[in-house]
Amino acid sequence: MIRDIENETMPREDLRALQLQRLQAVVERVYHLVPFYRRRLDEAGVKPEDIRTLDDLQRLPFTTKQDIRDNYPFGLFATPMAQVVRIHASSGTTGKPTPVAYTQRDLETWAELMARTMACAGAHRGDIIHNAYGYGLFTGGLGFHYGAERLGAAVIPVSGGQTRRQIMLIQDFAPTVLCCTPSFALYLAEVGLEMGVSFQDTQLRVGVFGAEPWSEAMRQEIENRLYLDAVDIYGLSEIMGPGVCVECIEAKKGLHLFEDHFLPEIIDPQTLEPVPPGEYGELVITTLTREAFPLLRYRTRDVTSLDYSPCICGRTIARMQRIRGRSDDMLIIRGVNVFPSQIESVLMETPGVAPHYQLIVDREGQLDTLEVHVEVDEAMFSDEVKKMEALAKGIQRQIKDYFTVSVKVKLVEPRSIPRSEGKAQRVIDKRKI
Ligand code: DLL
């Protein structure tokens, strides 16, 4: 269902006019309120009044994660602390987190956008929402929580962890919507099986999965195991958290990006120039309405493309293609660009292997090497060694055909790859260790 007909189905000329008006206001604000941006804009020779059309966006400086780090902890906040009512932080695993701030109005906007998101994914008042995204500094838990309440649904704030208990709650409280990372969804399926629970007998109807890359093949796998419609949701804490874009349940073809609040661009990460429409590149977002933490042209590092054609659901806002990977997670194996999600697609198409894998990147001399560790299913594991060898060779050949690179494939025992309750760690980069 479309929650906000006016803003989600606006004619594109009207949307562009609204975006320009909001862009002008945000540039004006950061120029006067954030010393970092005043410096950057002065260096670029741009004054707020120079922003006359949306094309003038190109004249604005980019913001990177490093810029946020350099201003740690609160240097980029655009409001005094007295107006800040919440702080979250990105879930980076190394170094200091990057904190982001919200005013009361920012929280209102976020709740509303998350309500739009949930409606787009097929949830509605009367639904019971099992929210297994982590509560805390991570934006997933609280983001979904307030969105679900705003929608008028009942939310179960389970957070991560205690997987068996979660299965029990899914049986007893009969939630209709499941919110968690796709890797945790699969883990729930696995633990459910161990406990002798069939997901066919639960009330789950829709899953809203995101916060990490996953593939179309993984969607099939999750839908088959959990008996629900799996919808992709994307967001990042620097920009707001979840609620930047989401697939509609009707089409499941690209994620509708709430362009009245976020102005997207796709650039070539090397030249920093815009790529031709429809081509893949790095997603860059300018926040149009954030009060406490506005960002100009934030480089997300996520690789995707944008589609401005109308969708069958009636929304006119741009659709972002499923994230292919992060430009900084892209593996360059002997000169060939490989995204972990592309390897995942190859693995998912192979019968006999389970959807649990890890990619081990290392270096031998000057060359990067890639070893794919993938679990085999129980039936295959108890089979003859010869069959296992043939399976490993088959995967190796498929990857070679697909990417033209040779990798080593190691089949590992069922359940030997660590499971995650939040974001899965798919790549172990030994070059950095
Ligand atoms: O992961 C916010 C979120 C919470 C999104 C719950 C969806 C659901 P961060 O921890 O800051 O925020 O991580 C953001 O995660 O730049 C992407 O690289 C990755 N990511 C998020 N959603 C997707 C997705 C949250 N659907 C980073 N597909 C982003 C692929 C995703 N990658």
Side-chain angles (χ1 to χ4, degrees):
M1 214 194 67
I2 302 181
R3 178 176 170 86
D4 187 336
I5 297 278
E6 187 188 333
N7 286 305
E8 295 178 67
T9 66
M10 200 183 282
R12 292 218 50 97
E13 310 85 84
D14 296 357
L15 180 59
R16 286 176 66 82
L18 177 68
Q19 287 176 323
L20 175 60
Q21 189 198 332
R22 290 183 168 176
L23 176 66
Q24 288 167 329
V26 75
V27 175
E28 180 80 35
R29 279 192 79 237
V30 297
Y31 189 74
H32 291 106
L33 297 174
V34 187
F36 163 83
Y37 276 123
R38 172 176 287 243
R39 221 173 30 249
R40 279 291 168 87
L41 287 162
D42 283 345
E43 279 163 14
V46 188
K47 292 263 176 282
E49 55 274 20
D50 294 334
I51 306 302
R52 294 195 190 93
T53 71
L54 279 184
D55 289 339
D56 292 327
L57 179 65
Q58 305 291 324
R59 303 182 55 187
L60 297 174
F62 289 103
T63 311
T64 61
K65 185 140 187 137
Q66 191 57 44
D67 293 327
I68 304 182
R69 289 216 173 100
D70 291 346
N71 289 280
Y72 184 83
F74 301 151
L76 291 188
F77 290 11
T79 44
M81 200 47 95
Q83 284 168 33
V84 170
V85 295
R86 174 99 63 81
I87 292 173
H88 279 286
S90 77
S91 54
T93 43
T94 51
K96 301 214 185 220
T98 43
V100 293
Y102 304 76
T103 62
Q104 193 63 53
R105 205 189 79 186
D106 288 332
L107 289 185
E108 282 287 310
T109 309
W110 190 17
E112 188 51 41
L113 288 179
M114 275 308 292
R116 273 195 209 174
T117 295
M118 307 289 290
C120 188
H124 45 69
R125 177 179 290 272
D127 268 321
I128 302 179
I129 297 185
H130 183 100
N131 184 15
Y133 283 108
Y135 282 64
L137 278 181
F138 177 53
T139 50
L142 289 172
F144 272 85
H145 185 98
Y146 287 104
E149 286 188 353
R150 174 66 65 107
L151 193 66
V155 50
I156 309 174
V158 202
S159 196
Q162 295 187 292
T163 311
R164 295 178 85 86
R165 197 174 140 79
Q166 294 215 17
I167 302 274
M168 180 189 81
L169 294 180
I170 289 173
Q171 286 183 292
D172 296 351
F173 292 3
T176 44
V177 179
L178 172 64
C179 304
C180 61
T181 58
S183 52
F184 187 60
L186 275 177
Y187 187 39
L188 279 173
E190 190 174 67
V191 174
L193 200 67
E194 272 169 26
M195 292 168 65
V197 174
S198 163
F199 276 87
Q200 210 167 359
D201 301 332
T202 71
Q203 296 302 311
L204 290 175
R205 187 184 80 242
V206 179
V208 192
F209 303 128
E212 64 184 9
W214 54 313
S215 60
E216 206 47 50
M218 185 74 92
R219 188 206 312 263
Q220 293 308 321
E221 186 82 28
I222 293 177
E223 291 190 336
N224 292 341
R225 291 192 179 197
L226 290 177
Y227 296 90
L228 44 69
D229 273 306
V231 172
D232 192 7
I233 172 172
Y234 167 87
L236 62 167
S237 36
E238 293 87 335
I239 293 300
M240 187 178 73
V244 174
C245 55
V246 65
E247 285 177 326
C248 61
I249 183 98
E250 292 88 349
K252 291 196 222 160
K253 282 229 155 51
L255 294 82
H256 294 283
L257 196 146
F258 298 120
E259 281 187 277
D260 48 334
H261 293 272
F262 310 108
L263 185 55
E265 301 168 76
I266 302 287
I267 62 160
D268 176 325
Q270 255 75 50
T271 64
L272 306 184
E273 293 296 324
V275 302
E279 279 191 19
Y280 274 79
E282 179 179 329
L283 176 69
V284 170
I285 297 180
T286 300
T287 63
L288 294 175
T289 53
R290 287 297 297 276
E291 284 188 332
F293 202 73
L295 289 177
L296 299 184
R297 306 189 82 194
Y298 182 68
R299 292 190 55 188
T300 66
R301 304 282 170 182
D302 293 317
V303 176
T304 182
S305 73
L306 292 175
D307 176 1
Y308 288 91
S309 66
C311 178
I312 54 160
C313 70
R315 287 177 182 82
T316 52
I317 48 182
R319 269 178 291 167
M320 182 190 92
Q321 297 310 309
R322 182 184 277 291
I323 299 283
R324 192 174 269 181
R326 290 179 59 78
S327 55
D328 42 10
D329 260 7
M330 188 178 73
L331 307 170
I332 306 183
I333 307 295
R334 274 164 248 133
V336 180
N337 300 348
V338 178
F339 285 107
S341 61
Q342 293 173 306
I343 302 249
E344 177 180 301
S345 299
V346 172
L347 296 177
M348 293 293 100
E349 281 159 20
T350 313
V353 304
H356 302 286
Y357 66 95
Q358 257 179 347
L359 309 178
I360 319 289
V361 189
D362 209 343
R363 181 165 287 162
E364 272 169 28
Q366 293 304 306
L367 290 183
D368 287 339
T369 59
L370 176 61
E371 195 168 299
V372 178
H373 289 189
V374 59
E375 282 182 18
V376 288
D377 60 27
E378 297 280 358
M380 179 55 74
F381 191 66
S382 52
D383 232 317
E384 313 146 38
V385 176
K386 254 211 275 180
K387 267 202 184 152
M388 296 257 289
E389 274 172 6
L391 179 63
K393 284 230 172 66
I395 297 173
Q396 226 156 304
R397 199 171 42 245
Q398 262 178 306
I399 294 179
K400 173 105 199 212
D401 287 351
Y402 197 100
F403 300 105
T404 68
V405 289
S406 304
V407 302
K408 221 188 251 169
V409 174
K410 191 169 158 198
L411 300 179
V412 298
E413 266 181 62
R415 277 182 292 280
S416 60
I417 288 184
R419 302 295 189 254
S420 106
E421 284 161 355
K423 302 191 187 217
Q425 192 186 5
R426 303 287 194 202
V427 180
I428 312 275
D429 193 344
K430 293 193 168 162
R431 297 169 305 182
K432 289 187 199 148
I433 296 171

